[in-house]
Amino acid sequence: FERAAHLAYMPLPGGDAATRHPYRIALGYLQQAGVEWADDLAPVKTASSIEQAAIRQQISSGLNTILTSSMGRLFDAVASLCGVRQSVNYEGQAAIEFEALTDRIEAGAYSFAFEADAIKLDNVLRAVVADIRSGVSIPQIAARFHNGLAQLVLEVCERTRRERHIDEVALSGGVWQNVTLLNRTLARLRDADFKVYVHQLVPPNDGGLALGQAVIAAASIDH
């Protein structure tokens, strides 16, 4: 397999521990995108001045900070910016609650930019912050974010089809538990004449990942 595209790598201050506190993820993403940590933003208000200083130091030095291209972490960051949740009790909680708020009518979409095979996040993060400051409702922001991601998937698939002549798409990974994103992406892909595979018996998240690893291992042994 080849990696056709990926989200740009962003800092995760505190490593995996940050996944329990989405505001830390949001601060890291804002720093990387060059967006000032202003007090009108929910994640900034959540972190004390001492914690903010520590996070800045972690990011600048790389101490206890890993880089991530996770779609789940992007959802965490945007949910935090929108004030949906700053701490979570289980994996994906912020994303689940953010999805539940999505306006079903809003047709707007944030636009993702490409730099070679990396999908840049700066413009989207700035657009979310601008909408928050302009008083756009959280359901509208959630809809624009989901619509933008669905359009992004379509663009990646269309680019791959042009380059590799592949018209079959398998939607797999934990993010596809998000029914709103799944349905909006499916509609776009099918309208563009892609043959799309989705999970039926095996879960799209870690359970499916474990099975996939076993299948690849078995195939490697056979060869």
Side-chain angles (χ1 to χ4, degrees):
F1 59 86
E2 298 176 33
R3 194 178 195 187
H6 62 88
L7 297 184
Y9 287 100
M10 304 294 276
L12 197 61
D16 285 342
T19 62
R20 296 192 294 273
H21 304 290
Y23 71 90
R24 294 179 63 91
I25 301 171
L27 292 176
Y29 279 41
L30 290 175
Q31 178 90 345
Q32 188 76 4
V35 179
E36 183 181 352
W37 292 3
D39 289 340
D40 61 334
L41 298 176
V44 180
K45 287 188 288 189
T46 301
S48 68
S49 58
I50 294 175
E51 188 174 15
Q52 288 183 36
I55 292 172
R56 286 188 190 277
Q57 178 61 26
Q58 284 181 318
I59 294 171
S60 62
S61 67
L63 179 65
N64 197 26
T65 297
I66 61 174
L67 296 177
T68 180
S69 60
S70 165
M71 182 65 76
R73 301 294 76 77
L74 175 59
F75 265 91
D76 286 342
V78 176
S80 169
L81 282 170
C82 291
V84 174
R85 181 163 288 277
Q86 307 304 334
S87 295
V88 299
N89 299 312
Y90 57 87
E91 172 74 16
Q93 184 178 5
I96 291 168
E97 294 179 4
F98 185 54
E99 178 200 358
L101 296 171
T102 304
D103 187 317
R104 304 299 168 181
I105 300 174
E106 171 67 38
Y110 297 126
S111 180
F112 291 82
F114 288 87
E115 187 175 285
D117 62 346
I119 299 159
K120 306 295 287 182
L121 306 180
D122 302 12
N123 289 346
V124 170
L125 292 168
R126 293 191 188 106
V128 170
V129 169
D131 277 353
I132 291 170
R133 288 173 170 164
S134 297
V136 176
S137 73
I138 301 307
Q140 285 179 290
I141 292 174
R144 292 173 184 180
F145 182 68
H146 283 80
N147 291 340
L149 286 177
Q151 185 63 30
L152 169 64
V153 174
L154 173 62
E155 290 173 7
V156 171
C157 291
E158 287 182 326
R159 186 172 74 167
T160 303
R161 179 163 60 183
R162 288 193 300 270
E163 295 174 353
R164 306 289 181 173
H165 308 291
I166 297 170
D167 62 3
E168 294 178 286
V169 180
L171 301 179
S172 187
V175 71
W176 298 111
Q177 290 183 299
N178 184 318
V179 176
T180 300
L181 179 61
L182 177 64
N183 288 339
R184 296 183 184 198
T185 302
L186 275 173
R188 285 167 170 80
L189 290 173
R190 287 171 174 164
D191 285 346
D193 295 324
F194 283 99
K195 184 175 183 179
V196 188
Y197 300 93
V198 297
H199 284 260
Q200 299 292 328
L201 301 177
V202 177
N205 59 348
D206 290 354
L209 174 65
L211 178 60
Q213 289 172 329
V215 169
I216 290 174
S220 300
I221 293 171
D222 289 343
H223 289 87

